[in-house]
Amino acid sequence: MQSKISSFFKPSPATAKIKVASPISAIIFANEAEICEDPEITVTYKRRARNPGSESDADSAGATNRLGEVDMVAKLEVPKSGKVLHKKRKYAQFYLELGQSDFLLHACTICGFKYAKGDEGDEKVHKTFHKNYTHGIQFKGWRNERVIYVPSLDTGRVIIVLSDDPPAQRSKVQDVVKMMEMDLGDGWIFHQHCKVYLFVSSGRVTGCLVAEPIEKAYRIVSSSTGKKSQDQNGKGGRENSVVLQFGEVSFQREIVRKNNSAKGKEMCDSVTGEILCEKEAVPASCGVRAIWVTPSNRRKHIASYLLDAVRGSFCSGRNLNRTDLAFSQPTSAGRALISNYIGGNAFLLYTTW
């Protein structure tokens, strides 16, 4: 091997001399500018001392290289506890322990619940939550229920829950309020002075209304700008066409405006949150703080049944008219519900605290 290596590198006379004291050849080159005298380099290999009585003696004998000069002994460390350290972990465990982002979690498009797909425990929790959100929270009933009579109600029943009711009833209200907060926001729906109306059907709470006593409200101003905008959009729907010339090819551009009169105005109002009301307040006694119905039951007039129950039971001794109910600042969907229920656009609003 030495002759082949020497012929390959073509050593010059200035190359340092090397003394090898081992069966394994070693070549070290040095420059005369850096080394004044010819160095003598000794390369030695020392055998590692064996541990008598250990299991590594048998392994070290088979690990000797082909030249028989060097033993490579691999020392394996085993944990004293005897636990398997290289156990496969689930994605959910990695997410909880390492604090990773939620890119491993799947968000349900209907209920918004985030879970790890393929994990048996997460799949089961999501299935339960999804059914409670879309069909309602399970309800087995109570011994002492305050059932509100609603003449137009054929199936189901309306139950009222007050602040001095037993803990089991208040706990069920808290579960329903948490479900309502998924759609309506956190921290404002319920307080201790509220009266809660639960609509129960087929063993589940499918709707909820939260009402509170108030003293005054403001009547909304019904604006007539909707018709004007419709007329303007109807007349000026299209602008003059413009011709663009590119060499010998001409393109005609035409701008068409969509008629967004009613829906566009409602969405704009719901985004800005501005509602015009009269300056003078009017006396009011019942304020509807929030209404919520499960997604699979929103075409069964459950919200109307709840409003009827409030009108007949909120004030003891008298029934309220539909126009006597005041509402917290509603969304566009809430305005449509209120206008349809009272039969007009001039309803009462109040500010929640």
Side-chain angles (χ1 to χ4, degrees):
M1 288 296 295
Q2 184 62 47
S3 59
K4 293 182 180 180
I5 294 174
S6 300
S7 62
F8 179 80
F9 285 98
K10 297 181 180 179
S12 60
T15 306
K17 298 180 181 179
I18 297 174
K19 179 180 180 181
V20 179
S22 173
I24 299 178
S25 301
I27 301 175
I28 299 178
F29 297 96
N31 195 353
E32 286 185 349
E34 297 178 357
I35 301 176
C36 299
E37 299 180 356
D38 295 338
E40 292 186 2
I41 300 175
T42 304
V43 181
T44 59
Y45 294 88
K46 185 177 180 181
R47 188 186 299 274
R48 179 181 296 178
R50 296 181 181 179
N51 190 7
S54 61
E55 297 179 357
S56 61
D57 292 342
D59 299 335
S60 61
T64 308
N65 56 5
R66 296 180 181 179
L67 297 177
E69 297 295 333
V70 181
D71 295 335
M72 303 296 293
V73 180
K75 188 176 181 182
L76 302 177
E77 296 182 359
V78 181
K80 298 180 180 179
S81 58
K83 296 181 181 180
V84 180
L85 300 180
H86 297 287
K87 182 180 178 181
K88 291 184 178 179
R89 315 300 283 284
K90 298 180 180 179
Y91 284 115
Q93 291 175 335
F94 280 121
Y95 171 72
L96 293 176
E97 294 177 2
L98 303 180
Q100 296 177 356
S101 58
D102 57 354
F103 66 94
L104 296 176
L105 301 180
H106 174 75
C108 181
T109 57
I110 299 176
C111 64
F113 186 82
K114 293 184 178 181
Y115 63 99
K117 261 191 172 183
D119 186 88
E120 185 177 355
D122 279 12
E123 293 278 0
K124 187 176 180 180
V125 173
H126 169 250
K127 184 178 180 180
T128 304
F129 181 84
H130 186 86
K131 191 170 185 180
N132 291 340
Y133 177 81
T134 55
H135 296 83
I137 299 176
Q138 290 185 351
F139 181 76
K140 297 181 179 179
W142 300 314
R143 292 182 179 179
N144 299 323
E145 293 181 351
R146 295 190 182 94
V147 181
I148 307 300
Y149 173 71
V150 180
S152 59
L153 183 59
D154 297 332
T155 58
R157 65 187 188 275
V158 179
I159 302 172
I160 183 173
V161 181
L162 304 178
S163 59
D164 56 349
D165 283 345
Q169 300 183 12
R170 288 179 291 170
S171 176
K172 181 62 68 175
V173 168
Q174 292 294 337
D175 294 341
V176 177
V177 169
K178 289 180 181 179
M179 198 67 67
M180 295 173 65
E181 290 177 348
M182 297 286 296
D183 293 335
L184 304 179
D186 301 339
W188 69 273
I189 297 177
F190 178 75
H191 59 80
Q192 59 181 355
H193 300 293
C194 291
K195 296 181 180 181
V196 181
Y197 294 81
L198 302 178
F199 189 91
V200 181
S201 177
S202 302
R204 291 182 176 273
V205 180
T206 58
C208 179
L209 186 147
V210 180
E212 63 179 344
I214 60 175
E215 297 180 355
K216 62 181 180 179
Y218 299 89
R219 193 171 300 278
I220 190 173
V221 177
S222 57
S223 60
S224 59
T225 57
K227 295 182 179 179
K228 295 181 180 179
S229 61
Q230 289 181 3
D231 298 338
Q232 292 176 0
N233 289 335
K235 293 180 181 178
R238 294 188 178 184
E239 292 185 352
N240 297 330
S241 61
V242 180
V243 178
L244 303 178
Q245 191 75 21
F246 292 92
E248 298 179 355
V249 181
S250 60
F251 295 91
Q252 186 174 6
R253 183 179 63 179
E254 187 173 305
I255 300 175
V256 179
R257 291 183 179 178
K258 295 182 179 179
N259 189 1
N260 299 329
S261 57
K263 293 183 179 179
K265 182 172 175 48
E266 288 181 358
M267 292 187 66
C268 180
D269 293 342
S270 65
V271 171
T272 58
E274 297 178 357
I275 300 176
L276 298 178
C277 300
E278 296 179 356
K279 293 182 178 180
E280 297 181 359
V282 297
S285 57
C286 177
V288 178
R289 196 173 179 90
I291 306 175
W292 181 78
V293 181
T294 55
S296 62
N297 297 284
R298 289 178 181 173
R299 295 183 179 271
K300 299 180 180 180
H301 307 287
I302 294 178
S304 299
Y305 294 143
L306 290 171
L307 291 172
D308 291 340
V310 172
R311 291 194 300 111
S313 63
F314 190 85
C315 296
S316 59
R318 68 187 183 95
N319 292 337
L320 299 174
N321 296 324
R322 295 193 176 188
T323 55
D324 294 336
L325 296 177
F327 301 87
S328 62
Q329 297 182 6
T331 59
S332 58
R335 289 192 196 183
L337 171 64
I338 297 169
S339 300
N340 187 25
Y341 182 75
I342 67 174
N345 294 326
F347 52 89
L348 297 178
L349 294 179
Y350 76 100
T351 304
T352 58
W353 301 99

